[in-house]
């Protein structure tokens, strides 16, 4: 077997382990989840699991960082079109955090932090904090390019993700039987970006026009409804 084939097989197995970990953590919570359960869900032996992740803590961190990397991909590899990048990010964010298993995991973490505050700190550090820093880096690059104007990158980043999804995600956390449909997410995302651009864009009129065109394009709808 060639080195590249071995590497690909290892990557595929690591993805399977991380997918299994999300299912187990979402169903059992951080304290209830065990490496035995993750190994069984992933279809690997415990020694194999430990060869990839030496502890439950490292597995949890890798799982959360992997989700963060998916959401930040467009900011790590920008297209050069800020409005399009923001729209792609907004949908990647929604498609990740609105997944039923991610919502279930967030609910369980919230339920555990009173007794085990270290779990909340691990969740925050591995997920939201890393995501926030990635958003800040992108927004700051757009400020340097003259595309955005703000004084505090952290507040601008908090505004961005709060505007696009805070309300429907909060509702979904407490009403798991009433998840928003794609049309509702589209409504919140488009409106949130509209408000963000009005507040921070140095050229709001053309940016808002482009946003409306992108958000209403049939290809955009097909891509995110698939």
């Amino acid at each position: 077997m060639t080195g590249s084939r071995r590497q690909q097989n290892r990557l595929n197995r690591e993805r399977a382990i991380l997918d299994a970990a999300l299912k187990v953590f979402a169903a059992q919570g951080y304290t209830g989840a065990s490496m035995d359960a993750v190994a069984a869900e992933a279809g690997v032996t415990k020694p194999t699991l430990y060869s990839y992740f030496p502890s439950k803590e490292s597995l949890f961190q890798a799982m959360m960082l992997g989700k963060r990397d998916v959401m930040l991909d467009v900011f790590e590899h920008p297209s050069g079109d800020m409005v399009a990048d923001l729209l792609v990010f907004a949908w990647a964010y929604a498609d990740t955090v609105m997944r039923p298993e991610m919502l279930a995991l967030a609910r369980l973490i919230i339920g555990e932090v009173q007794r085990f505050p270290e779990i909340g700190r691990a969740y925050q550090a591995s997920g939201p904090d890393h995501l926030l820093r990635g958003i800040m880096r992108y927004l700051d690059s757009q400020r340097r390019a003259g595309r955005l104007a703000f004084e505090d990158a952290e507040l601008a980043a908090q505004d961005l993700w709060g505007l696009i999804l805070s309300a429907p995600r909060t509702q979904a956390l407490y009403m798991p039987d009433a998840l928003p449909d794609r049309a509702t997410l589209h409504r919140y995302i488009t409106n949130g970006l509209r408000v963000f651009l009005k507040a921070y864009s140095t050229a709001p009129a053309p940016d808002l026009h482009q946003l409306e065109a992108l958000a209403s394009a049939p290809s955009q709808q097909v891509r995110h409804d698939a």
Side-chain angles (χ1 to χ4, degrees):
M1 183 183 293
T2 65
S4 59
R5 179 69 178 276
R6 283 195 298 269
Q7 184 178 22
Q8 187 59 52
N9 286 343
R10 183 173 177 83
L11 287 173
N12 290 342
R13 183 170 291 173
E14 181 175 306
R15 289 193 198 101
I17 291 171
L18 293 175
D19 287 343
L22 177 56
K23 292 179 183 178
V24 173
F25 280 117
Q28 301 178 19
Y30 184 87
T31 54
S34 69
M35 296 293 270
D36 286 309
V38 174
E41 181 68 35
V44 300
T45 64
K46 270 188 73 175
T48 296
L49 175 58
Y50 277 105
S51 73
Y52 282 81
F53 304 101
S55 67
K56 185 168 74 170
E57 292 79 6
S58 65
L59 174 59
F60 182 81
Q61 183 180 52
M63 180 191 74
M64 294 302 302
L65 290 177
K67 301 305 177 189
R68 183 264 314 194
D69 289 343
V70 169
M71 290 184 276
L72 286 177
D73 183 67
V74 66
F75 287 167
E76 300 294 338
H77 306 92
S79 68
D81 184 331
M82 182 186 74
V83 177
D85 287 345
L86 290 174
L87 187 59
V88 170
F89 164 75
W91 274 108
Y93 176 57
D95 286 338
T96 300
V97 303
M98 296 300 288
R99 289 173 58 182
E101 58 269 39
M102 289 296 287
L103 289 167
L105 177 62
R107 292 187 200 102
L108 287 167
I109 295 294
I110 291 170
E112 292 180 337
V113 294
Q114 186 66 37
R115 290 181 301 152
F116 305 103
E118 68 276 10
I119 296 172
R121 286 192 288 269
Y123 177 82
Q124 186 71 24
S126 301
D129 285 353
H130 274 280
L131 183 62
L132 180 65
R133 286 193 290 271
I135 299 171
M136 288 169 61
R137 285 193 297 271
Y138 178 81
L139 296 185
D140 199 51
S141 73
Q142 296 304 306
R143 176 172 60 177
R144 292 194 303 272
R147 296 289 285 112
L148 296 174
F150 52 81
E151 295 181 0
D152 191 314
E154 181 177 359
L155 292 179
Q158 293 280 14
D159 280 344
L160 175 61
W161 72 4
L163 285 166
I164 59 179
L165 212 61
S166 178
R169 182 172 182 268
T170 298
Q171 177 178 311
L173 282 172
Y174 297 104
M175 300 173 61
D177 58 341
L179 296 181
D181 58 20
R182 304 299 290 179
T184 300
L185 292 178
H186 181 272
R187 174 171 163 260
Y188 275 98
I189 286 171
T190 304
N191 184 70
L193 290 177
R194 190 183 296 124
V195 174
F196 180 83
L197 291 170
K198 285 180 180 179
Y200 292 111
S201 172
T202 57
D207 283 348
L208 289 167
H209 180 75
Q210 182 185 4
L211 173 65
E212 299 305 324
L214 289 172
S216 62
S219 60
Q220 182 77 10
Q221 297 301 309
V222 170
R223 181 168 136 199
H224 293 298
D225 287 349

